[in-house]
Amino acid sequence: MLRTIKNEQIFILALLCGFFLATANSFFKKPVPLSRADYLAPPKVIVNLSAGLKVQAADSFWLRGLQDFDFCDQPVNKMECVGQSWLFHILDLTTDLDPKFFSAFFYGGLSLTVVVNDFAGATQIFDKGVAEFPKNWILLYAAAYHAATEEKDKVKASKLYFAAAKYGAPSWVNAMAGRLAGEGGDEKYAELILQQMIDSAMEPKLIERLQQKLQKIKSEKK
């Protein structure tokens, strides 16, 4: 009886060793990194499934977005991304979960328009942010920049600049708003806008891209 038990134990042990050896390669193999092309946009239904934890969920999606703040999943060309990009969906969900998440509106909108070049997505995030923070001149200023340069909507841009001036922006912004409303602006004001945005930005990627745009304007003037 004892010998039978030992034999069974040895048999089971042999099976376990065989299984381990057969699968050892998968245990020790380096994990295959997820391709950016495999990223999926989070479903909006998450908002309805996060009762009581919406702010925490918003923080989680924001942190996820920060890891790929320059990711365009569907490029139109080297300079532009298809609207409704992966990053847009992350930011849209983040701001649905926490409508008072200022950084998601400001840095998220800037990243969409300046880094990713998802101009349609940036418009939606800025419009959403301005509705939540109608007296925050920094956000109004960034939204106005996007409206003027990418939406090509001078009337909308001038209104946003006027609002920014009203709520604390430098005095020259008011003059720029008037110029946009009347003539469409010029390079001098574009330089001032970009420099102000560089001074107020914190994300290195945003600062770098804004500086590139500013340098392009200066070189075109020469």
Side-chain angles (χ1 to χ4, degrees):
M1 182 70 177
L2 182 61
R3 180 175 297 178
T4 302
I5 294 174
K6 286 184 177 180
N7 287 340
E8 289 178 353
Q9 291 175 333
I10 293 172
F11 179 70
I12 293 171
L13 181 61
L15 283 178
L16 291 173
C17 289
F19 174 77
F20 176 78
L21 291 173
T23 58
N25 188 47
S26 62
F27 277 116
F28 296 111
K29 186 185 296 183
K30 291 183 178 180
V32 178
L34 183 66
S35 169
R36 278 183 159 192
D38 297 328
Y39 290 0
L40 297 176
K44 295 276 279 187
V45 71
I46 289 175
V47 176
N48 301 321
L49 301 176
S50 304
L53 294 172
K54 287 188 175 182
V55 173
Q56 292 85 344
D59 289 343
S60 297
F61 282 107
W62 172 247
L63 291 173
R64 178 65 192 88
L66 285 176
Q67 297 174 51
D68 289 286
F69 235 36
D70 61 343
F71 175 49
C72 172
D73 51 330
Q74 299 182 68
V76 176
N77 50 54
K78 291 183 178 180
M79 299 300 295
E80 188 174 351
C81 188
V82 171
Q84 304 285 306
S85 63
W86 175 85
L87 181 60
F88 163 76
H89 285 293
I90 292 287
L91 295 168
D92 190 40
L93 179 58
T94 298
T95 51
D96 278 349
L97 288 163
D98 184 2
K100 299 303 179 184
F101 200 152
F102 176 79
S103 292
F105 289 117
F106 180 66
Y107 291 110
L110 276 179
S111 184
L112 285 171
T113 187
V114 175
V115 180
V116 177
N117 293 338
D118 175 358
F119 304 126
T123 296
Q124 292 186 57
I125 293 299
F126 277 133
D127 288 349
K128 198 174 173 183
V130 167
E132 288 291 339
F133 299 94
K135 296 182 180 181
N136 188 297
W137 78 263
I138 295 177
L139 181 60
L140 291 166
Y141 188 91
Y145 163 81
H146 173 72
T149 59
E150 308 303 348
E151 293 184 68
K152 309 300 183 185
D153 189 336
K154 297 181 178 65
V155 174
K156 178 180 179 180
S158 66
K159 289 180 179 179
L160 288 167
Y161 279 129
F162 274 129
K166 178 180 178 181
Y167 293 114
S171 58
W172 56 262
V173 174
N174 206 32
M176 180 177 60
R179 177 69 65 86
L180 264 176
E183 302 176 19
D186 55 28
E187 290 85 355
K188 173 186 175 182
Y189 289 109
E191 288 182 39
L192 289 172
I193 295 168
L194 286 168
Q195 188 59 59
Q196 185 69 34
M197 292 174 69
I198 290 169
D199 293 341
S200 62
M202 293 176 64
E203 290 293 329
K205 288 179 182 177
L206 288 176
I207 293 173
E208 180 183 358
R209 192 60 64 90
L210 288 167
Q211 288 173 333
Q212 290 174 358
K213 284 182 175 285
L214 179 58
Q215 189 58 44
K216 181 180 179 181
I217 290 175
K218 290 181 177 180
S219 62
E220 287 176 349
K221 284 176 62 179
K222 296 178 181 179

